[in-house]
Structures are given as structure tokens and as C-alpha cells.
Amino acid sequence: MNGPLVEPGSVLGVLGGGQLGAMFAQAATRLDYRVAVWDPDPDAPAHHLAAYSFPSPFTDQKTFTEFAGLVAVVTYEWENVPAVLCERLERTTPVRPASSVLRRIQNRLVQKTFLAGQGFPVPRFAALTEPGRLAEILDQLGYPAVCKTATAGYDGKGQWKIDEPSSVFSVRDSLTASCHSTMEWIVESFVPFERELSVLVARGIDGQTIVYPLVENVHEAGILRMTVVPAEVPSTVVERSADLARAVVARMDGIGLFCLELFLLPDHRVLFNEVAPRPHNSGHYTLDACNVSQFEQQVRAVTGLPPQEVLLTNPAAMVNLIGEDAETVKRDVECRRLLGLPGAYVHDYGKRAIRPRRKMGHVTFLAHDVQTARDRASRLRQSLLQASRN
Ligand code: ADP
């Protein structure tokens, strides 16, 4: 159901109330929409910015009736919201991206099988439904490899790297210990990537598509730590990545804002790592370095407005503030100096409890050239690391 334009003043529903939902709510409010947030966690940051807030379980029938009656369109801020809920909402209200897109993305096996089946480049992979068959699968796939839960993983959770045959048995035991009846995993060849890249794609209801600049990402222990834009790679890589990203979203018939994560190989081929049907941590630079942020673009796409052309106003580099980093930036002398530089923008997600690996905020450095932005971000990252060791 494509439907007419969702008029300003209408209520936009968002499932999930983390920082991505909160930034969506801010963008929607600026564009004169009201937002209804449904997230079971009453402390989720987006609740504080919502015109209507539903801190109840996703299975709550009363909330379903109220939420469905209120909203003109529904989106979500991450892919682990229940697809069945989106399917039910879709009977009366457009859900963008559609529940069929969500279903295709939220299971890594289904997603990679789809991408490979459509001829898009992905790492070699195999399905695992029985931990006891891990060694056999690795015999075929080779080492090193990564085993991931097919569903519900994020920020590197539910992943095991397997370097050699001698570590297969301990991983198999971990899988068995964490296993419940319908559990499945994807086992992928470990890609010897030169860099990790990602790109945002906004696609409107009429199929009009825009692609943001290609960015470079640095992960540590499975979690994004730093993003640099534009990626310093040959123009052929930029063009090929943009073409592939645009084609994937079109092939899925996706409406909304997507992020495509890629591995760049030493021979300059790219492979897809994963597709996110929503704004992405690596796209936070768009808040300060672009004429239109990824969240505004999400609002535009889900309400039926065409995506807006994107202009990168400055090269930029973003550093995530994770766990204790949120406190370190306030007291560490070098961090404070860096945050005081012109072009440094600090974003605090307003989460009350600091927990290890929890994303608390981020800092974006804008500069005249990408090397300066990168240097400042690297220095901040080093200072945060240093402080965490003391
Ligand atoms: P999540 O959805 O939990 O973020 P990803 O599949 O994106 O999980 O993996 C997180 C990070 O782990 C990636 O950004 C990359 O650094 C590393 N990784 C994941 N899969 C592979 C792979 N097949 N080869 C090499 N590194 C990988």
C-alpha cells in the first residue's frame, strides 16, 4: 500500500525508542509531525521526545489498538522489532519499510541467501541448525570463519570467530549452551578486508533514490568506534558501492532509509556484510555534515516525500562514546581540549545508566580536509582508550 502523502500534523509511529528513535522523533518534530513511540523500556530515550509514548510490551493488545488508531504511518528504529507486529499494523496502516522487507533482513541467513540469489557479492556462508555439525561445515567453508546467530544479534553480540580446527569444540559447546529449540546460525568465511565501508540509501514511495557519500568505519570487538567521511578509496570503489547499494534497496522494493555495510577487499572488490532497514550509527555524521540528515530523510521517505539530494558540507569523522567514555570526555584534559575545537559537535543520548558496550553518545569533528577530521577523531579515540586502561 503506497498511499497518499502523510500530511504534517499527522502522527508517525516508531517501534523502538533508542537513540535512533529519539533522533527520528526530533527530525519529525522539526518537520511538523507528531511522533508515537512504542518501546517496552520506559527509560528508552525516545519516550521523552514523543507526543505519545507507549512503554508496554510489543504483545500488549490495548497498546496495539491505541497505537494503530493514532498513527498515519509506522516505521522502526531497528530490525529486531517483531515482524509479526508490523504485519498486523500493516493491515490498516502503511509500514515503511514493509514487513516483508523486515522479514528478509532480520534473519541473517534469509538476508544473505536473498543477496546471493540476486547475484550481489557476499562472503561465502552456510546455514547451521545443529551445533554438532559445526566441524563438518567448517571443513567445507575453511578457516578462519565467523559463526553468528541468525536472528537478534547486534553490535557483534552472538558471534564467535573460529580461527582453527582446535577451537571448534569450545564454540560448539557455547552454541549448545545458548541454544533453544528453533535456534539457527550462519557460518561465514572470515573476510580479510582492507577496510569496512558503509553507505546510506534513501528510497521514496515512487522508487526515487538518493545515495549518501561512502564512509569508512572502524570496529573494535564487533562494535562501531569511528566513522570517516568521505571514504578515502578510489572513485571506482565509490561508484561501484553506490550502484550496488542502490540496486539492493530497489531489488528489495524498500521504502525508507537504509544502510548497507560493506567489506573492501585488498583487490578493491566489495562484499556486502549486512543491510540495515533504518538509520545507522555510521550515518550520524549526517546530522552535522550534511544539508539533510539520515533521520530527516527517513521522515521524508516514510511520509511519501521524495528523498532530498544530499550535499556533504564538510569532511567529517565521528567517534562513538561507549560506556564510561561518556564520563571520560567530561573530565579528561585532552578530550576536553579536542571537544573545544571549532567543528566539534557532541551528542549525548540522555541515557541514565552507563553500562559497558552501551552507546551513550557520539562526537563529530568537521574539518576542511578529511585528514584533519580523521586526526582529531583518532586522537579522541586514543585518549578514551588510554583513560579506560588507567
Ligand atoms: P552486528 O549486526 O552485530 O553489528 P556484523 O555482522 O555487522 O554484526 O558484525 C560486526 C563486525 O564484525 C563487522 O563490522 C566486522 O568488523 C566483523 N565481521 C562480521 N562478519 C565478518 C566476516 N565475515 N569477516 C570479517 N569480519 C566480520
Side-chain angles (χ1 to χ4, degrees), residues 304-317:
L305 287 167
Q308 191 171 346
E309 277 303 319
V310 173
L311 187 71
L312 181 71
T313 54
N314 280 94

Side-chain angles (χ1 to χ4, degrees), residues 3 10 35 56 64-65 83 99-100 133 171 297 315 322 337 362:
S10 310
V35 175
S56 32
F64 179 87
T65 310
S99 63
S100 54
R133 292 198 54 226
V171 174
Q297 215 65 276
I322 294 172
R337 185 188 74 77
H362 71 267

Side-chain angles (χ1 to χ4, degrees), residues 259-383:
C259 181
L260 293 99
E261 297 179 27
L262 299 146
F263 296 127
L264 176 65
L265 299 179
D267 64 5
H268 286 172
R269 280 185 300 133
V270 289
L271 300 180
F272 280 109
N273 174 31
E274 62 181 358
V275 184
R278 51 156 175 91
H280 194 262
N281 193 168
S282 69
H284 287 350
Y285 75 90
T286 61
L287 288 164
D288 302 304
C290 289
N291 60 322
V292 47
S293 77
Q294 58 173 347
F295 303 100
E296 285 164 9
Q297 215 65 276
Q298 182 186 22
V299 174
R300 294 180 68 88
V302 304
T303 56
L305 287 167
Q308 191 171 346
E309 277 303 319
V310 173
L311 187 71
L312 181 71
T313 54
N314 280 94
M318 187 238 28
V319 178
N320 262 340
L321 301 177
I322 294 172
E324 282 299 326
D325 294 346
E327 286 302 313
T328 307
V329 284
K330 292 184 199 151
R331 56 175 163 72
D332 181 87
V333 176
E334 176 63 359
C335 289
R336 288 174 56 163
R337 185 188 74 77
L338 290 164
L339 266 47
L341 291 172
Y345 294 84
V346 185
H347 297 257
D348 181 336
Y349 302 154
K351 294 180 184 175
R352 270 192 269 168
I354 293 183
R355 288 196 291 269
R357 296 179 66 85
R358 191 175 201 201
K359 290 177 179 166
M360 305 298 296
H362 71 267
V363 179
T364 301
F365 293 97
L366 304 190
H368 291 301
D369 58 278
V370 70
Q371 196 51 48
T372 305
R374 186 194 289 275
D375 286 348
R376 289 177 182 176
S378 299
R379 263 184 274 155
L380 179 63
R381 179 71 199 114
Q382 283 312 312
S383 301

